Amino acid sequence: MLRYLRPLLARLLLPLGRFLARLGVTPSTVTLVGALGTVASALVFYPLGELFTGSAVITAFVLFDMLDGAVARASDSASKWGAFLDSTLDRLSDAAILTGLVVWFFGGGREPVLGYLALFCLVSGFGVSYIKARAEGLGANCDVGIAERPERLVITLVAVGLGGAGVPYVLEAGLGILAALSAITIVQRLIETRNRLTRPRRPAGDPETA
């Protein structure tokens, strides 16, 4: 859903990316700072029950992390290694966010049901990412799903932030929606991958392939 906003967002971030590039900041530096800030914030604030503050700080680092692509375009330094690093650290950042919540819910928060929901979201989030990576490693495009990483991240931070601010039931609803959408996305990607990997190949001389 949010993928359609990416071209607009990329244009909006490009001037700031050019500014950082002129300062000598590299895309990998932006990626590392954003990821380390997200991981540290999630593992410090959330286990202490500081859900609103943690979500606000994490959001700031997530927004900063989005600048790596703008810096890469501005400095013409996009690379496969940069894309790999960004993707890997994104997975670790997402895991840290949900791990911090799991620690709080099973600890001081005393909300085991929410703890299990967060744990399911953690596992299913890795499943969503792994299926896509594995499918593409086998040559099958698997860029489908009702809730990709941006959607899941927005739902998580909004629900946790508002829940930490005292808005009733939003945290429970947000984690429930996130769990459901993650499960649906896994099924969608499994079906898409199966269809692509088992689809019969047309003969080389088939006119439809010309």
Side-chain angles (χ1 to χ4, degrees), residues 110-136:
R110 297 181 181 180
E111 293 281 358
V113 174
L114 293 182
Y116 284 116
L117 267 178
L119 187 58
F120 177 83
C121 293
L122 172 63
V123 175
S124 60
F126 271 109
V128 169
S129 300
Y130 175 79
I131 292 170
K132 179 179 180 180
R134 182 60 178 150
E136 292 180 347

Side-chain angles (χ1 to χ4, degrees), residues 16-171:
L16 185 53
R18 288 172 178 161
F19 173 74
L20 292 175
R22 286 196 296 269
L23 294 178
V25 178
T26 66
S28 293
T29 299
V30 175
T31 300
L32 287 169
V33 171
L36 290 176
T38 298
V39 170
S41 301
L43 297 181
V44 170
F45 289 108
Y46 283 171
L48 294 176
E50 299 290 341
L51 303 186
F52 178 79
T53 301
S55 297
V57 176
I58 290 169
T59 299
F61 279 111
V62 168
L63 293 174
F64 180 79
D65 182 56
M66 295 173 63
L67 287 169
D68 57 0
V71 174
R73 288 187 294 273
S75 59
D76 194 23
S77 57
S79 66
K80 292 183 178 179
W81 161 249
F84 171 81
L85 180 65
D86 183 53
S87 180
T88 300
L89 293 182
D90 281 349
R91 304 289 84 73
L92 296 178
S93 297
D94 295 348
I97 291 171
L98 289 167
T99 298
L101 291 174
V102 169
V103 172
W104 167 246
F105 291 141
F106 281 116
R110 297 181 181 180
E111 293 281 358
V113 174
L114 293 182
Y116 284 116
L117 267 178
L119 187 58
F120 177 83
C121 293
L122 172 63
V123 175
S124 60
F126 271 109
V128 169
S129 300
Y130 175 79
I131 292 170
K132 179 179 180 180
R134 182 60 178 150
E136 292 180 347
L138 295 172
N141 182 21
C142 191
D143 193 18
V144 299
I146 192 173
E148 296 185 348
R149 195 226 176 199
E151 288 83 5
R152 300 197 308 273
L153 191 58
V154 168
I155 292 171
T156 303
L157 293 177
V158 170
V160 176
L162 292 179
V167 179
Y169 307 116
V170 69
L171 184 53

